[in-house]
Each structure stands twice: as C-alpha cells, then as structure tokens.
Amino acid sequence: MEMPKLVNEEKRRERIAEAVWNIAADQGLERATIRAVAAECGLSVGSIQHSFRTQEELKRFAMELVVQRVTTRLNDAEGLPVRAGDKTAAIAGLLMETLPLDAEREKEARIWAAFSTAALTDEGLGSYSRQMNSALERFCLRCIRELNGPESPKEDRDIRLEAMHLHGLLDGLALALLTDPSHARRQETKRIVRNFVEQCAKTR
C-alpha cells in the first residue's frame, strides 16, 4: 500500500529538480533558492523542505538527475552499431545530438554549464560532474570504435586517443555555441563535426 506514496514522492522530487533546472538555465544556479524553486514549480516552501531538508541536498539531487537522464540517453543512443554504408553520416548525427544546436539542447547545455561551474568549488557536486565526463568519454569511444570497425589495423591506444580528441572537440564546440548560438555558428559546428568524423574514417 505504500508504493503509490513512494511513486508520487519521487515524481514530486523530479518536478522540484526540474524547477531548479529552469532557474539555473535562465538565471544561474545561485538563484535557485528554496523560495525561488517553490515559486517556479507552484509549491509551498514547506512542501519543498518536506522533500529536501536543505538547499544543498536539493541541488545535488537536481544534478544527479541530469546525469542519470543524459547517461541513459547516451547509453541507449540509437544508431550504434550502424550499417557500413550509413556509418559516417550516422555517427556524425549522433555526435551532433550532444551539442546545443537547437533551443531544447541549448537549454540542456546551459543547465549543465551552471551545475558544472558550481561543481568546481563544491565537492558534493564534483562527483556528478565526473560521472557525466566519464559517460561522454565512453560515448565518444563507442563512436570511434564503431567508425573504425572490428577489423581496423589501429592499435587500441590510438583509438582511445582519437576518442579523447573527439571528447575535447565536443566540449569546446558546446562552449562556443553557448557563447554564440547564431545560425552561422551552428552550421559551422555541424561542418566541423562532419569533417572530424570523415577524417577519422579515412584513416581507419
């Protein structure tokens, strides 16, 4: 008989976390006070405090939920493995899905930027930042391995190095897009990703 209550409480916690995300994306994580979060999601301050004892506990849960959802999406990415004829374009498309190339993904990137910046000085958030970094590292390695194929003559260390280069490229492109989300910058970013994938494919 307790299960519905547990489910409802979990949904309420996620709703509150999403309110934190909205504030973090628009105003910065430091503005996500208990009172501001309550106003954002239409709950009382007491209701927020019933689910989260402190503001720090709330921020950590909100960041953990970001990591969980993004990690699940990366792990379940459709298109890996792909058919040989579609490989280069398909992998480039999957990589572009990680970048803020439209309004929805720009908001996600702004949310993550707010949390990852806070994590630089808050060890309680730092572990989640490292989890996200590891998830993207694994995703990049999956993409490079798929691009090269099982019969690639490359040594494993070279494949891992390519994946590291890809990870760094994606991080840099994401930051550039947050700074300049113009149509021209987005188109240039797509060309850069395609070019990287094509160059990797040529050297396999």
Side-chain angles (χ1 to χ4, degrees):
M1 298 298 293
E2 292 298 316
M3 185 60 70
K5 291 183 179 180
L6 292 174
V7 171
N8 289 339
E9 174 59 18
E10 189 60 27
K11 287 183 178 178
R12 193 220 310 253
R13 284 166 64 86
E14 291 184 3
R15 175 184 169 191
I16 294 169
E18 288 167 358
V20 174
W21 297 352
N22 291 337
I23 295 170
D26 295 337
Q27 305 172 46
L29 187 58
E30 68 279 0
R31 296 298 186 104
T33 63
I34 295 290
R35 189 173 299 279
V37 171
E40 175 69 24
C41 62
L43 295 173
S44 68
V45 169
S47 183
I48 303 292
Q49 292 173 327
H50 174 76
S51 296
F52 300 97
R53 291 169 296 178
T54 66
Q55 186 170 336
E56 293 308 309
E57 181 183 342
L58 170 54
K59 287 181 179 179
R60 290 173 188 177
F61 176 79
M63 189 171 187
E64 180 182 18
L65 190 61
V66 174
V67 174
Q68 286 178 354
R69 291 188 179 180
V70 173
T71 299
T72 297
R73 190 167 65 197
L74 291 176
N75 289 341
D76 295 343
E78 295 182 359
L80 284 177
V82 295
R83 296 187 301 275
D86 303 329
K87 188 171 291 189
T88 301
I91 290 177
L94 286 170
L95 293 172
M96 289 179 204
E97 287 295 318
T98 71
L99 295 171
L101 290 166
D102 56 33
E104 180 180 354
R105 284 175 289 171
E106 181 182 349
K107 181 177 179 179
E108 290 178 351
R110 290 176 66 87
I111 292 167
W112 183 248
F115 277 107
S116 58
T117 298
L120 294 174
T121 54
D122 184 342
E123 182 53 34
L125 299 178
S127 62
Y128 300 118
S129 185
R130 290 189 289 274
Q131 286 177 37
M132 182 74 92
N133 188 64
S134 295
L136 189 54
E137 282 182 353
R138 291 192 298 272
F139 179 70
C140 288
L141 185 57
R142 283 177 65 202
C143 288
I144 293 298
R145 287 194 190 285
E146 181 64 29
L147 187 62
N148 280 276
E151 298 180 0
S152 171
K154 291 182 184 176
E155 294 187 14
D156 186 67
R157 64 182 180 184
D158 293 326
I159 291 176
R160 289 183 177 277
L161 183 60
E162 280 187 355
M164 290 175 63
H165 287 167
L166 175 58
H167 187 186
L169 176 65
L170 294 178
D171 280 348
L173 290 173
L175 181 58
L177 284 166
L178 287 179
T179 304
D180 174 15
S182 66
H183 176 74
R185 173 68 74 177
R186 289 177 176 179
Q187 293 303 111
E188 180 183 25
T189 296
K190 292 177 182 179
R191 287 194 295 270
I192 291 171
V193 173
R194 291 192 194 100
N195 183 68
F196 181 91
V197 173
E198 289 168 2
Q199 289 302 313
C200 288
K202 288 178 181 178
T203 58
R204 66 173 181 256

